[in-house]
Amino acid sequence: MLIQSEKSLLLAIDVQERLTPAIADAPRLTANIVRLLKAASLLEVPILATEQYPRGLGKTMEDVADLIPEEAMVEKIHFSAMSEPGFAERLKATGREQIVVVGMEAHICVLQTALELRQAGYEVFAVDDGMGSRVRANTDLAIARMRSSGIEVVATEMVVFEWAHRADRACFKQLSALIK
């Protein structure tokens, strides 16, 4: 199935100041997360973001936070956002059935959230080049487990161009520029 902008929501999980520097290949991952946030804004795809215990791990990275509406930020203490009180209801209220997931750490918060989203009946798309862990092997294990649980594993460019769907959209040049 294709990812459709009118059915999607982008969920950015725990891209935080004190966590991100420890993540393998963090500059590439955060650049892809920024690309997806910009594409979501251009295509009017709603955004939600989480912060895992921000008093300990810091706030969301500034270049990422600048692209997330303040009201879209959810503080959490559970590893899975779906286990956080009120999150599932907030997500359901958006009416979106396809959840595109990015963030850190892939084998903990991203994995647990993705599995619980899938269990709740959402179509979940985990962006391989938009999530990471301190050790790449942990990301690889998370991806394998997601796949075996019916979660689609995709790449940033796949998401952007599936959201766009056609080349004659008014914002297509801006979307293409995000990828170059």
Side-chain angles (χ1 to χ4, degrees):
M1 83 211 68
L2 291 175
I3 308 167
Q4 299 172 38
S5 61
E6 63 278 359
K7 292 183 178 181
S8 292
L9 178 136
L10 177 61
L11 176 58
I13 299 173
D14 308 344
V15 187
Q16 292 169 253
E17 295 168 340
R18 293 188 196 126
L19 178 60
T20 301
I23 301 299
D25 206 11
R28 182 180 64 88
L29 297 174
T30 54
N32 285 329
I33 292 168
V34 165
R35 283 183 183 95
L36 287 169
L37 288 165
K38 288 179 178 179
S41 293
L42 286 168
L43 294 164
E44 299 179 359
V45 172
I47 297 165
L48 283 177
T50 66
E51 291 179 331
Q52 176 71 29
Y53 187 65
R55 288 181 295 283
L57 295 175
K59 300 300 270 175
T60 298
M61 297 288 294
E62 188 175 344
D63 56 339
V64 172
D66 288 346
L67 300 169
I68 298 170
E70 189 175 321
E71 66 277 3
M73 194 65 69
V74 177
E75 186 175 327
K76 66 184 182 66
I77 57 168
H78 292 86
F79 297 123
S80 169
M82 289 294 283
S83 293
E84 197 63 37
F87 183 85
E89 295 77 15
R90 185 172 179 178
L91 183 60
K92 186 176 181 177
T94 69
R96 301 299 175 121
E97 57 199 51
Q98 295 182 331
I99 312 301
V100 177
V101 181
V102 296
M104 301 165 191
E105 286 197 66
H107 68 296
I108 304 171
C109 295
V110 177
L111 174 66
Q112 290 184 33
T113 300
L115 291 174
E116 287 195 349
L117 285 165
R118 182 75 180 111
Q119 185 178 11
Y122 291 97
E123 295 174 48
V124 183
F125 300 86
V127 183
D128 182 317
D129 60 353
M131 65 177 163
S133 299
R134 288 164 287 164
V135 177
R136 180 62 205 194
N138 288 338
T139 303
D140 294 341
L141 287 171
I143 290 167
R145 188 165 173 200
M146 287 180 203
R147 276 195 177 111
S148 71
S149 298
I151 294 166
E152 297 281 335
V153 179
V154 296
T156 297
E157 287 191 38
M158 293 165 74
V159 175
V160 171
F161 288 102
E162 287 178 36
W163 276 346
H165 190 63
R166 48 191 299 160
D168 63 349
R169 292 185 83 136
C171 63
F172 186 76
K173 284 186 180 183
Q174 291 170 287
L175 291 171
S176 294
L178 293 175
I179 302 304
K180 294 179 181 180

